[in-house]
Amino acid sequence: MNRVFVSMMDGVEEPKWFSNVESYVLELLQRLEYDKEEISILFCNDQMIKALNNQYRHIDSPTDVLSFENGETYQDEKGEWTSMGDIVISLDTVPVNVKFFETDENTEMKRLLLHGILHLNGMDHFEEHIEKGVEPECEMLVLQEKVLKEYSDYKLVD
């Protein structure tokens, strides 16, 4: 059993697929064999993610997804939990990625959520990024693309 908390930045319109995110992320966490993990996801705009990117990575531009690892544990009536951390995704950048990667919003949103989860688990791709027509080499991106293929029929975004 895992926990997922999904929220929207104030002032950003909630997409019609918003209610699908929790169940998709819970499936991913189970597929990755995580148990008693807690994760929070915030959807925002480019202005907010740019500020976070600047504050925490010293990069003065927006990005698509940021992950903030936590790793702390806590106890409640259901046992001990590990807070994996927080994922922040800019909804403004998703259509840009869709065009750049020549994909659809459903695939891109699934990729960003999975990408964020893998970062929360301590994985990194360093300087390597997904490129159209190029097979990834690093462990993180190989796993990401493998899991995405397994979920290719999953409809997150309507």
Side-chain angles (χ1 to χ4, degrees):
M1 178 189 303
N2 295 292
R3 294 178 175 164
V4 177
F5 303 99
V6 185
S7 60
M8 293 294 301
M9 175 185 161
D10 288 341
V12 174
E13 186 177 341
E14 186 177 289
K16 61 182 177 179
W17 47 261
F18 180 78
S19 62
N20 301 341
V21 174
E22 180 182 358
S23 59
Y24 173 69
V25 172
L26 285 170
E27 283 201 35
L28 287 178
L29 294 174
Q30 183 177 13
R31 160 59 181 84
L32 296 167
E33 299 180 358
Y34 297 149
D35 190 36
K36 295 290 203 174
E37 304 277 349
E38 181 180 284
I39 185 172
S40 71
I41 301 163
L42 173 67
F43 292 98
C44 68
N45 60 22
D46 271 356
Q47 182 180 352
M48 179 178 181
I49 208 162
K50 177 182 177 182
L52 292 170
N53 208 21
N54 191 16
Q55 180 178 354
Y56 293 102
R57 298 178 65 218
H58 309 291
I59 298 173
D60 191 28
S61 63
T63 189
D64 49 9
V65 59
L66 290 172
S67 297
F68 299 95
E69 287 182 67
N70 184 324
E72 292 183 13
T73 59
Y74 69 92
Q75 202 67 36
D76 72 6
E77 67 280 351
K78 294 187 179 182
E80 184 174 281
W81 296 85
T82 300
S83 175
M84 290 179 71
D86 308 309
I87 296 172
V88 182
I89 295 176
S90 172
L91 292 177
D92 292 339
T93 303
V94 173
V96 174
N97 284 7
V98 165
K99 186 175 180 179
F100 180 80
F101 292 116
E102 299 176 1
T103 189
D104 57 67
E105 188 177 357
N106 184 56
T107 302
E108 184 57 20
M109 188 54 62
K110 291 187 297 186
R111 176 179 286 113
L112 292 175
L113 288 163
L114 177 56
H115 192 87
I117 290 168
L118 294 175
H119 273 308
L120 290 182
N121 193 42
M123 298 185 89
D124 203 346
H125 51 88
F126 304 101
E127 298 299 317
E128 185 178 353
H129 295 278
I130 295 295
E131 296 179 50
K132 189 172 191 283
V134 177
E135 289 295 318
E137 295 179 9
C138 74
E139 178 185 9
M140 177 185 172
L141 296 181
V142 168
L143 177 59
Q144 172 184 294
E145 296 307 298
K146 175 185 175 193
V147 172
L148 279 174
K149 284 179 186 168
E150 292 171 17
Y151 284 84
S152 63
D153 291 336
Y154 192 97
K155 198 69 170 160
L156 172 65
V157 176
D158 300 352

